[in-house]
Amino acid sequence: MNRPQTHEYPAWAETYISKISGDDILGILEKQATEFPDFLNDLVEKADYAYAPGKWTVKEMAGHIIDTERILVYRLTCFARSEQHALPGFEEDDYVANAHFSDRSLLSFSEEFSLLRKSNMYLFKSLNEHELDRSGTASERQISVRALLFVIAGHLMHHTLILKERYL
């Protein structure tokens, strides 16, 4: 699969897309399905840790990653199916604040992410070139299905790096 061109996504997406090297996005996404849960499992002792006041805990970061994947996959599905209506944005801090992630175990997030990503892989692998080229509007910006695949993988890489640098 070819990388998305800059005209296929808004400027904010570059933060995530730039984290992806090469074109094997499906391979990267599939690898993340097992690597990220394993990484979370190694953080169990730090599950409720936040590196500074007002920052998310490891559990909250894991919950944010899962919520964001669901939202991005919903957008991807809508656009792949030629949705013509604009989709709303979301305020990540509000989602985390209203989710009670602290009530859960980090292992539950690990398992949930694994199952979510494995399920999403069926959709990702089913997309043809015509569907990958489709785009739509979310958060008042145009983005292609192809770009969303790269954003999904890059978003996880972005937050994994933050966890490694600031939480470990």
Side-chain angles (χ1 to χ4, degrees):
M1 178 182 312
N2 295 325
R3 294 181 68 77
Q5 301 299 305
T6 55
H7 70 274
E8 293 182 59
Y9 56 87
W12 66 260
E14 182 62 28
T15 300
Y16 306 116
I17 293 171
S18 67
K19 303 236 180 293
I20 308 299
S21 59
D23 294 339
D24 185 18
I25 193 61
L26 293 177
I28 292 167
L29 288 160
E30 194 142 37
K31 193 173 180 183
Q32 289 177 335
T34 55
E35 287 182 348
F36 185 67
D38 289 345
F39 176 67
L40 282 182
N41 291 340
D42 290 339
L43 298 177
V44 170
E45 291 182 17
K46 291 197 168 237
D48 294 306
Y49 172 74
Y51 70 90
K55 296 298 181 182
W56 294 340
T57 65
V58 173
K59 286 180 187 177
E60 289 171 328
M61 182 79 78
H64 162 73
I65 290 165
I66 290 167
D67 277 357
T68 301
E69 177 136 344
R70 282 196 170 99
I71 290 164
L72 294 175
V73 171
Y74 172 71
R75 291 174 178 180
L76 180 149
T77 304
C78 289
F79 302 154
R81 305 302 186 242
S82 296
E83 176 62 62
Q84 298 302 305
H85 292 93
L87 302 178
F90 74 105
E91 177 48 55
E92 60 189 29
D93 289 321
D94 290 345
Y95 276 52
V96 170
N98 289 293
H100 63 87
F101 291 138
S102 62
D103 295 347
R104 296 179 51 188
S105 73
L106 192 59
L107 294 176
S108 75
F109 289 107
S110 172
E111 184 175 323
E112 182 180 358
F113 177 84
S114 177
L115 293 170
L116 177 65
R117 178 60 66 84
K118 287 176 182 176
S119 173
N120 287 338
M121 288 306 301
Y122 285 96
L123 172 62
F124 299 162
K125 290 177 180 179
S126 76
L127 299 169
N128 63 35
E129 283 300 317
H130 188 65
E131 291 166 323
L132 291 168
D133 288 339
R134 290 180 181 150
S135 65
T137 303
S139 300
E140 301 177 359
R141 303 283 187 273
Q142 283 286 121
I143 191 164
S144 73
V145 171
R146 176 181 292 101
L148 282 164
L149 286 173
F150 280 75
V151 168
I152 291 165
H155 180 260
L156 180 60
M157 288 179 173
H158 170 77
H159 285 294
T160 299
L161 184 61
I162 290 172
L163 285 165
K164 288 178 180 177
E165 291 176 349
R166 299 180 189 167
Y167 291 76
L168 298 181

